[in-house]
Amino acid sequence: MSQNGHKVIGTRPIRHDGVDKVTGRAIYGADIQLTGLLYGAIKRSPHPHARIKSIDTSRAEAHPGVRAVVTAHDLPQIADKLADLGEAIVNLRDASNNVLAYGKVLYKGHAVAGVAAVNLHVAQEAVELIDVEYEPLPHVTGVLEAMEDGAPILHEDMKTTSMGEETDKVSNIANHFQHKMGEPDDGFAEADVVVEREFTTQTVHQGYIETHNATALWNEEGQLTIWTSTQGAFSVRDQMSEILQMPISKVKIVPLEIGGGFGGKISVYLDPVAALLSKKTGHPVKMTMTRDEVFEGTGPTPGSYLKVKMGATNDGRLTAATAYMAYEAGAYPGSPVGAGAGCIFTPYDIPNVQIDGYDVCVNKPKTNAYRAPGATNAAFATETVVDEISEKLGVDPLEFRVKNGAKEGTRRADGPVHPVIGCIETTEAALNCEHYRSSLDKTANGKVRGRGVASGYWFNFNGGRSAISVSINPDGTINMLEGSTDIGGSRASIAMQLAETIGLEATDIKPYVVDTDSIGYTDVTGGSRTTFGTGYAAHATGQALIREMKERASKLWDVPADAIDFADGVFSYRDDAEKRGTFKELASQAGDAGGPVVAQVSTNPDGSGGGAFATHVVDVEVDRETGKVDILRYTAVQDAGTAIHPSYVEGQMQGGVVQGIGWGLNEEYIYNDAGSMTNASFLDYRMPTTLDLPMIETIIVEVPNESHPYGVRGVGEVPIVPPPAALANAIYDATGVRLRDLPMSPPRVQQALAENGG
Amino acid sequence: MHAFDYATPESVADAVVMLSDPGKNACVLAGGTDLIVQLRENRRRTDLVVDVKKIAELNALSCDAATGLTIGAAVPCYRIYGDGQIAAAYPGLMDAARLVGGTGIQGRASLGGNLCNASPAGDTIPPMIVLGGEAEIAGPDGTRKVAVEDFCTAPGRTVLADGEFLVSLHFPAPAPNSGAYYRRFIPRNEMDIAVVGVGASVVLSGDKSSFVSARIAVGAVAPTPLFVSAAGEALAGEPVSDETIQRAADIARDAARPISDMRGTAEYRKHLTSVLTRRVVQGAVQRAKE
């Protein structure tokens, strides 16, 4: 028995998909083999910004073994049209042009043509035989440069929208918005300490190990099937239907196992090209990206510029805060600056706030979601300023956070009022943890050491459409079909919620992620929604099964259904103790009382419930001579609402921390003057390896989410939010020098220490 | 990747014939940890890959207190550090042999291949230079020997002429009271290419209080791994002290002429050259004292 009277929730069963994954039997996109399969490759732009004058595919088409070549001219030309693709409003023309460039290329790596051939080598040779004539244009890759008057313009027809109104100004600024609460000027006048600082962050990639892939078959009836690695099969179906302008009923998406997504596997890249090539050839076509294609041709998360100002009184109360946030959207509008603005001051209760956000196009790949998109950039700024204010006030930075922490009833600057949240509880747990209470020697081995803390917030998408379909086997086990692709152990956490509801073991449920023809519409696995949203549907499914089993028992026992109770996994007739049975016992007889037992449930819970908060503590060691930062100890504290499977909650926390550490210390897209990324490989795009990390310690706080039957909060995203700020604060504690530019790589740290005499 | 022919000669003479074919752009395959990647990524094109792993001389590995160490050009790193006698006698070389790639790569990667790849950042080259390594080359005109410090001529280029290839590497037996050390700086702790790498070997006086001689070589700060003879010469006859070692480090730093790239700026690399040279000479001294 776990806590809170739960039998399954809170335990740590072996995951249902574990054996196939550790034995290499799980089927990923690259494993797909079909009769007559052709292999595709993409021709990509060598220029960051250029007009396409002509594309001559004749030499490629004449190359032996080549079966078809496609360009943007094979795609339906879509007018400037907005479509709701589930989580975001997307301009379909942009989405189409990002798949295959039309008229202009907007970043190095922008796809311009696709080839299908009898094998991959021939396809790659043919790519070199496609002759594209470009007229190179001036390019801009930095957000502040792109905002300047006179900057090279990516979209000549794009006018800036400001405060909700379209202006006449053509610029790279797609949108400027503002959130305002109270009177910041008055708040700063009240403050005894005011700190204002500027920050920059660089473009970083999700870095999933499995590269993008898609295998398409467009059959003779015009039915399109795509096998792919995606966070949302139904979202892929929507995108295919819109980009290819075909009926949704003609598209079926088969989601395969996914080797990492982190937000980057929602938009389609290869899928429409593979589909067009299959249509042209009549064969299935398989496409798989190389690592450099993933870096240069898919959606990273943006570089950004932030200016944050915060003020507090001598008794330690925050009185005002303002933020200027400029985020790179990449080639097309749609950076996560809006999400960043919703998170930037949210761990705090501040009466006077103003936030200005700018969404800016630059000649880089179109950015995409990455684990709490926009929030890490924001927290890097806020949490560093909060650290500085705490220092100036002479108070413990965590005690300062507790004193100013957001709680039920606190209003966010972007509008919503917090329901029950675990912000203060999480910070207090960090304040009281053994790590934070332990002492740290400030020097060792000729190096200096320091400790830093930071907090973070992520909304969590507490809603969305989910469907579950179950069939009960005569032995009482359950086959459970779901539409949520499993990127973080959600098969297990959803199956456990169903098992808990109907009194079975987790292993009695067999979860399957199925294709779009086999289950109701399910929103993407993203926004930390799946264990919440599809788990919500699993609970509802359990309730439906209990009702159905009562009906069956009613027939079997010949008693009224409303006189049957269900408790502790046992169905029983109120007036006769002999008439009782467990779910499994009833399942063995239920088929005789109305046929096989099945249930289908879909849900779309409303979006309240509050988000996730995290506070992290890190100890670092800095080699002052080389600028290298080593992490000695790391503790992540987080409110999970209710941890369904604590091991996977811990795994999400640890994974998020590691990605945040990479973002903070070494990861960045390094561009040369020609606008070309110079480190498009895992060799020089430096994600942390196991040798760069200590064991990440975790503390799960549980403040149940009131809008979920088991109190679940999303856990996957918020752990990436605090690390860069926590590291910056720890480096300051060690060296006396504050770093405000990411990544805090050895050359940057060494230079900062040399310049500041730290 | 483009199509190519593949051959496996079993003698030095046969390999020379294949590599000398004027109609073919041939290249040599030993471990292949650089070559295969370069071919796959179209960074290099070839008509013929000559796999030299079946040639006996390329697989030789012997160590003798009188004549020194001989390593066939195709001998993988794991065989070298897996030999207890060699590992004990040449710890400075082992520092680098254990760094190349990762454990899996070291099952294939060879010192010979690392030298012939002629990367300015090749980890095994500075220690081979400071240990007085000599390369034995076979070609149409017979064999010749070239000091390791003279082997690389530019990034990816060596003294090997058409038809020539590297057969083996030779190192003298370690002198009494000597020690060698190699260390590189990378931003992470694994899976990276040196931002700067420094090798040093020192011979100390009998009482270990002064330097008899020293050799220092630096990687990733010039078009080729750089033998900074002046830095070693500055130590000869001097006492073992922080001051003398810092002087050598400054000479190495001044000799460095790095570029700025995604792995580090020129200024940062010069700074690191000084820091690492000091640390590496101290490490070599420590080994000489042990």
Side-chain angles (χ1 to χ4, degrees):
Chain A
M1 186 75 75
S2 157
Q3 57 181 326
N4 302 328
H6 292 143
K7 184 176 158 214
V8 177
I9 287 171
T11 64
R12 301 172 186 246
I14 290 173
R15 63 195 293 161
H16 303 78
D17 48 322
V19 169
D20 277 353
K21 282 183 173 162
V22 299
T23 55
R25 289 196 175 90
I27 305 295
Y28 290 82
D31 297 322
I32 291 293
Q33 292 296 329
L34 298 170
T35 303
L37 187 64
L38 300 177
Y39 295 82
I42 298 277
K43 172 84 172 179
R44 294 180 183 278
S45 168
H47 302 292
H49 195 191
R51 214 170 294 287
I52 300 172
K53 297 183 77 177
S54 66
I55 304 176
D56 182 352
T57 59
S58 57
R59 286 202 302 147
E61 282 163 328
H63 192 58
V66 172
R67 293 290 181 264
V69 181
V70 295
T71 68
H73 293 281
D74 295 283
L75 281 169
Q77 282 311 305
I78 302 170
D80 201 6
K81 176 188 163 191
L82 299 176
D84 186 352
L85 295 181
E87 229 185 339
I89 306 293
V90 173
N91 184 316
L92 291 171
R93 188 185 59 175
D94 292 349
S96 176
N97 289 351
N98 199 31
V99 166
L100 285 171
Y102 183 82
K104 282 204 330 186
V105 290
L106 297 171
Y107 53 95
K108 179 175 177 273
H110 199 159
V112 293
V115 179
V118 292
N119 66 48
L120 184 59
H121 297 303
V122 173
Q124 288 173 340
E125 285 171 0
V127 160
E128 293 173 32
L129 299 174
I130 296 172
D131 298 304
V132 185
E133 194 184 345
Y134 294 101
E135 177 195 340
L137 300 169
H139 66 274
V140 61
T141 53
V143 64
L144 291 181
E145 294 84 345
M147 293 171 80
E148 286 171 7
D149 284 335
I153 296 291
L154 275 77
H155 304 283
E156 290 90 350
D157 57 349
M158 190 180 81
K159 291 171 182 162
T160 301
T161 299
S162 183
M163 311 287 276
E165 305 278 333
E166 189 180 291
T167 67
D168 288 334
K169 182 151 175 83
V170 173
S171 86
N172 293 318
I173 303 170
N175 187 24
H176 162 230
F177 62 86
Q178 186 180 88
H179 301 306
K180 195 172 176 191
M181 184 167 73
E183 289 301 332
D185 288 346
D186 296 349
F188 286 122
E190 224 183 293
D192 299 303
V193 174
V194 175
V195 173
E196 181 175 29
R197 301 293 179 205
E198 294 175 277
F199 300 84
T200 61
T201 76
Q202 298 302 314
T203 303
V204 294
H205 199 275
Q206 300 85 349
Y208 30 79
I209 293 298
E210 180 205 31
T211 64
H212 291 259
N213 55 76
T215 301
L217 175 58
W218 195 310
N219 79 4
E220 289 74 3
E221 290 181 312
Q223 174 71 43
L224 173 62
T225 304
I226 293 186
W227 294 260
T228 189
S229 168
T230 176
Q231 291 176 238
F234 288 90
S235 174
V236 173
R237 190 179 73 171
D238 291 343
Q239 292 175 70
M240 296 302 287
S241 167
E242 294 286 1
I243 290 171
L244 298 176
Q245 295 286 292
M246 61 194 294
I248 216 153
S249 59
K250 289 287 188 186
V251 186
K252 172 173 135 181
I253 308 299
V254 185
L256 300 159
E257 290 297 345
I258 177 168
F262 312 108
K265 285 190 184 149
I266 297 173
S267 292
V268 298
Y269 300 98
L270 298 174
D271 313 57
V273 183
L276 290 174
L277 289 167
S278 179
K279 186 182 185 185
K280 266 198 169 177
T281 60
H283 284 258
V285 176
K286 178 175 175 176
M287 304 187 84
T288 305
M289 286 194 194
T290 57
R291 180 60 55 189
D292 56 327
E293 287 184 289
V294 172
F295 276 117
E296 297 191 322
T298 70
T301 207
S304 56
Y305 164 86
L306 297 100
K307 185 158 70 178
V308 164
K309 182 179 179 183
M310 299 178 83
T313 55
N314 279 334
D315 66 350
R317 281 272 161 217
L318 283 166
T319 56
T322 58
Y324 176 101
M325 312 171 70
Y327 281 37
E328 295 166 3
Y332 302 97
S335 78
V337 66
C343 295
I344 188 161
F345 298 126
T346 298
Y348 303 98
D349 182 355
I350 312 173
N352 306 292
V353 177
Q354 182 174 322
I355 300 163
D356 286 275
Y358 295 84
D359 184 35
V360 185
C361 291
V362 297
N363 292 113
K364 292 182 178 179
K366 165 73 177 74
T367 57
N368 222 318
Y370 177 19
R371 209 166 196 158
T376 302
N377 315 45
F380 176 56
T382 303
E383 296 299 309
T384 307
V385 170
V386 165
D387 199 67
E388 203 171 331
I389 289 178
S390 306
E391 187 199 13
K392 286 185 194 298
L393 292 173
V395 298
D396 178 281
L398 288 181
E399 285 175 2
F400 181 80
R401 284 171 172 82
V402 169
K403 186 166 185 179
N404 291 283
K407 51 191 171 295
E408 185 180 6
T410 304
R411 177 175 289 280
R412 287 186 352 218
D414 57 328
V417 175
H418 286 299
V420 174
I421 51 172
C423 178
I424 290 174
E425 291 83 346
T426 304
T427 314
E428 282 175 338
L431 183 60
N432 295 321
C433 79
E434 186 274 324
H435 178 181
Y436 195 62
R437 293 286 170 203
S438 68
S439 63
L440 176 69
D441 291 335
K442 295 301 285 280
T443 57
N445 315 317
K447 297 172 186 169
V448 291
R449 295 175 164 193
R451 176 169 295 163
V453 297
S455 297
Y457 166 76
W458 176 249
F459 311 94
N460 289 343
F461 181 33
N462 287 311
R465 293 157 286 184
S466 287
I468 296 263
S469 175
V470 293
S471 52
I472 314 307
N473 298 311
D475 62 0
T477 61
I478 297 179
N479 300 327
M480 183 188 90
L481 313 187
E482 55 168 316
S484 289
T485 50
D486 182 358
I487 61 175
S490 58
R491 278 189 187 86
S493 64
I494 293 161
M496 288 169 73
Q497 292 177 66
L498 176 59
E500 181 74 47
T501 310
I502 57 175
L504 293 180
E505 301 290 331
T507 48
D508 291 327
I509 315 293
K510 291 163 49 182
Y512 298 93
V513 178
V514 295
D515 65 67
T516 52
D517 280 1
S518 306
I519 189 75
Y521 192 102
T522 298
D523 276 311
V524 296
T525 297
S528 295
R529 71 166 288 274
T530 301
T531 298
F532 172 92
T534 307
Y536 192 102
H539 173 264
T541 304
Q543 299 292 329
L545 281 175
I546 290 167
R547 285 194 298 276
E548 180 63 24
M549 278 305 201
K550 285 181 179 176
E551 292 293 334
R552 302 304 173 98
S554 155
K555 288 180 186 164
L556 289 167
W557 298 337
D558 196 20
V559 302
D562 57 9
I564 296 172
D565 294 323
F566 177 71
D568 297 330
V570 176
F571 294 87
S572 57
Y573 176 48
R574 246 168 252 160
D575 298 334
D576 181 352
E578 294 294 303
K579 288 186 165 48
R580 53 184 280 119
T582 62
F583 185 89
K584 284 190 175 184
E585 285 163 354
L586 278 175
S588 66
Q589 307 160 44
D592 298 331
V597 181
V598 298
Q600 286 189 329
V601 171
S602 67
T603 54
N604 190 359
D606 80 29
S608 65
F613 291 85
T615 294
H616 293 182
V617 183
V618 61
D619 296 347
V620 302
E621 182 174 270
V622 183
D623 183 333
R624 306 171 78 110
E625 288 188 315
T626 65
K628 187 171 178 180
V629 175
D630 276 305
I631 297 170
L632 302 171
R633 188 173 179 188
Y634 202 110
T635 301
V637 187
Q638 183 176 326
D639 174 20
T642 297
I644 301 295
H645 193 307
S647 296
Y648 300 152
V649 174
E650 290 157 5
Q652 288 294 321
M653 291 165 69
Q654 291 164 331
V657 167
V658 169
Q659 288 187 310
I661 288 171
W663 194 340
L665 292 186
N666 278 305
E667 292 181 39
E668 62 177 319
Y669 276 43
I670 302 172
Y671 281 87
N672 62 19
D673 292 342
S676 183
M677 183 187 182
T678 59
N679 61 330
S681 75
F682 275 153
L683 177 61
D684 288 310
Y685 180 88
R686 298 190 181 91
M687 300 176 75
T689 72
T690 51
L691 294 174
D692 302 310
L693 301 161
M695 185 65 187
I696 309 297
E697 298 166 47
T698 55
I699 297 172
I700 300 173
V701 175
E702 293 186 300
V703 178
N705 180 351
E706 289 186 316
S707 63
H708 185 279
Y710 291 121
V712 170
R713 287 183 201 278
V715 298
E717 290 172 289
V718 76
I720 200 176
V721 180
L727 287 164
N729 294 336
I731 292 169
Y732 171 74
D733 188 45
T735 65
V737 175
R738 290 214 180 263
L739 283 102
R740 301 190 183 95
D741 301 292
L742 294 184
M744 297 174 286
S745 57
R748 279 230 175 89
V749 174
Q750 190 271 326
Q751 191 184 352
L753 294 183
E755 285 171 0
N756 294 286
Chain B
M1 188 163 70
H2 296 264
F4 54 79
D5 292 330
Y6 172 79
T8 54
E10 295 186 11
S11 73
V12 169
D14 285 353
V16 168
V17 169
M18 289 173 185
L19 293 167
S20 303
D21 183 342
K24 292 229 163 126
N25 174 18
C27 62
V28 174
L29 172 77
T33 57
D34 286 309
L35 180 70
I36 290 172
V37 176
Q38 290 161 2
L39 291 173
R40 282 178 65 114
E41 295 186 350
N42 290 321
R43 284 191 277 149
R44 188 162 168 169
R45 289 184 79 145
T46 187
D47 306 313
L48 171 66
V49 169
V50 178
D51 183 347
V52 295
K53 285 195 292 295
K54 291 196 161 47
I55 303 170
E57 292 89 328
L58 278 285
N59 290 306
L61 181 64
S62 65
C63 184
D64 183 296
T67 57
L69 172 64
T70 298
I71 302 176
V75 173
C77 290
Y78 89 96
R79 274 186 65 199
I80 302 169
Y81 60 67
D83 183 312
Q85 188 196 351
I86 296 173
Y90 298 89
L93 200 53
M94 299 311 114
D95 292 336
R98 289 193 177 96
L99 270 185
V100 175
T103 304
I105 296 291
Q106 289 156 16
R108 277 286 183 189
S110 60
L111 301 192
N114 200 226
L115 181 60
C116 292
N117 189 52
S119 162
D123 279 311
T124 68
I125 305 175
M128 288 200 282
I129 291 173
V130 301
L131 290 168
E134 214 172 32
E136 184 174 323
I137 296 166
D141 302 326
T143 62
R144 62 181 177 123
K145 289 187 173 176
V146 171
V148 171
E149 59 261 36
D150 298 327
F151 192 86
C152 302
T153 57
R157 301 200 175 276
T158 68
V159 295
L160 293 174
D162 284 347
E164 285 191 325
F165 70 104
L166 180 67
V167 175
S168 59
L169 296 154
H170 304 273
F171 301 91
N177 304 322
S178 69
Y181 199 73
Y182 173 77
R183 195 162 161 179
R184 67 178 181 183
F185 179 80
I186 55 174
R188 292 181 292 191
N189 293 317
E190 245 303 353
M191 299 296 287
D192 231 322
I193 288 180
V195 180
V196 175
V198 177
S201 69
V202 301
V203 181
L204 302 185
S205 57
D207 64 358
K208 317 273 175 76
S209 68
S210 62
F211 292 100
V212 174
S213 65
R215 287 168 69 87
I216 292 170
V218 191
V221 296
T224 63
L226 198 63
F227 174 45
V228 190
S229 56
E233 284 158 12
L235 291 173
E238 296 293 326
V240 174
S241 70
D242 290 348
E243 292 71 28
T244 54
I245 292 172
Q246 187 58 51
R247 209 177 308 141
D250 291 344
I251 293 171
R253 180 198 60 213
D254 293 344
R257 42 182 203 282
I259 56 167
S260 292
D261 66 8
M262 70 280 191
R263 297 186 185 121
T265 62
E267 194 186 353
Y268 182 60
R269 284 186 154 124
K270 283 183 83 82
H271 167 78
L272 281 182
T273 301
S274 170
V275 172
L276 277 193
T277 301
R278 191 187 76 234
R279 293 180 182 181
V280 165
V281 172
Q282 284 166 343
V285 166
Q286 190 58 39
R287 280 191 175 147
K289 288 178 175 177
E290 281 165 2

